[in-house]
């Protein structure tokens, strides 16, 4: 398996040079291979979201080196970063971040539209296929605001997969859902990982869901305190 992510000495401080400077990430080294299904756990405030935002190219590290899919990111221009992010990374957040007045189909098409500029029939087909896949065939023309939390998160997962990215970053994707719905949403990510070898990095506070991942990384005080493979996920 090839390396999809290589992090070396990633550090992040906020408010650098001021009296309230805080060092959130303190030299993180991590290699993630293609096809891994990894849980990221850690206490609140330990830097999980900060870390995911840096990997997702939504924020820059203060120090260290991040290589995504063989591409060193430090020297990329803003437009190159935007392009790499759009093609290589899908995002799922705790709050779905859908456009509530748009239909499920329009929301799933959004990354394709951003990439290609105007809607096409093939984009619609791609969105419909993904909505079929997440079990929302009958909801494709419903506005996001009229859907349940679990349905909205399924749409958000379909949207994250629209560009067929090698990497999906999910920041507490089930944190807002009841246990049964959370498990169903997790199933979808697991299934997509198995079928397409898409790499997932999932922040969760649920030990049960983390136990379904092939690897568990724990973050404490901005450092990796534990990193272990897990036998439970026998298929990888
Ligand atoms: P987690 O996701 O593990 O709960 P976060 O990454 O959100 O943790 O936050 C880690 C720490 O970084 C917290 O102390 C938080 O207050 C701080 N932090 C996060 N973002 C910013 C920011 N933009 N400016 C200043 N401090 C921040
Ligand atoms: Mg967080």
């Amino acid at each position: 398996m090839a390396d999809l992510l290589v992090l070396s000495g990633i550090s992040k401080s906020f408010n650098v040079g001021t009296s309230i400077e805080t060092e959130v990430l303190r030299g993180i080294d991590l290699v993630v291979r293609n096809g891994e299904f990894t849980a990221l756990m850690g206490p609140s405030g330990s830097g999980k979201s900060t870390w995911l935002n840096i990997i997702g190219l939504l924020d820059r590290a203060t120090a260290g080196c991040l290589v995504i899919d063989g591409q060193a990111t430090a020297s990329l221009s803003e437009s190159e970063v935007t392009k790499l992010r759009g093609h290589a990374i899908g995002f799922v957040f705790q709050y779905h971040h859908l456009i509530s007045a748009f239909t499920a189909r329009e929301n799933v098409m959004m990354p394709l539209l951003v990439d290609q500029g105007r809607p096409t029939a093939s984009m619609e087909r791609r969105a419909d296929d993904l909505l079929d896949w997440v079990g929302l065939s009958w909801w494709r023309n419903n506005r996001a605001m009229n859907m349940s939390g679990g349905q909205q998160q399924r749409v958000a997962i379909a949207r994250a997969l629209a560009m067929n990215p090698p990497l999906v970053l999910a920041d507490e994707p089930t944190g807002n859902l009841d246990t049964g719905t959370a498990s169903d949403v997790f199933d979808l990510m697991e299934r997509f990982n198995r079928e397409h070898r898409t790499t997932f990095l999932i922040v969760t506070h649920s030990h049960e869901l983390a136990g379904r991942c092939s690897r568990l990384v724990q973050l404490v005080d901005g450092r990796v305190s534990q990193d272990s493979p897990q036998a439970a996920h026998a298929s990888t």
Side-chain angles (χ1 to χ4, degrees), residues 7 10 12 14 24-25 40 47-61 66 68 73 81 85 89 91-93 97 167 169-171 201 203:
L7 284 73
I10 291 286
K12 177 69 179 179
F14 290 107
V24 175
L25 301 178
L40 180 54
K48 304 180 297 296
S49 294
T50 301
W51 190 8
L52 234 54
N53 288 345
I54 288 170
I55 294 173
L57 302 171
L58 296 169
D59 198 358
R60 293 230 179 201
L66 167 65
I68 300 178
T73 58
V81 163
R85 189 199 300 125
I89 306 167
F91 295 91
V92 184
F93 301 96
H97 288 286
L167 174 66
L169 302 174
D171 196 352
L201 207 51
V203 174

Side-chain angles (χ1 to χ4, degrees), residues 140-208:
R140 54 175 70 127
N141 291 314
N142 277 70
R143 288 170 195 254
M145 63 175 125
N146 297 327
M147 305 178 90
S148 71
Q151 288 172 331
Q152 289 171 335
Q153 204 57 312
R154 283 166 183 265
V155 175
I157 288 173
R159 179 185 56 184
L161 300 172
M163 294 283 286
N164 201 19
L167 174 66
V168 173
L169 302 174
D171 196 352
E172 303 194 38
T174 61
N176 211 22
L177 305 174
D178 65 72
T179 314
T181 310
S183 180
D184 293 345
V185 162
F186 210 80
D187 277 346
L188 284 176
M189 295 191 285
E190 246 178 331
R191 193 146 59 84
F192 206 85
N193 165 260
R194 265 204 310 274
E195 291 172 7
H196 299 270
R197 309 294 301 156
T198 306
T199 305
F200 282 77
L201 207 51
I202 306 170
V203 174
T204 180
H205 286 292
S206 161
H207 289 278
E208 194 195 324

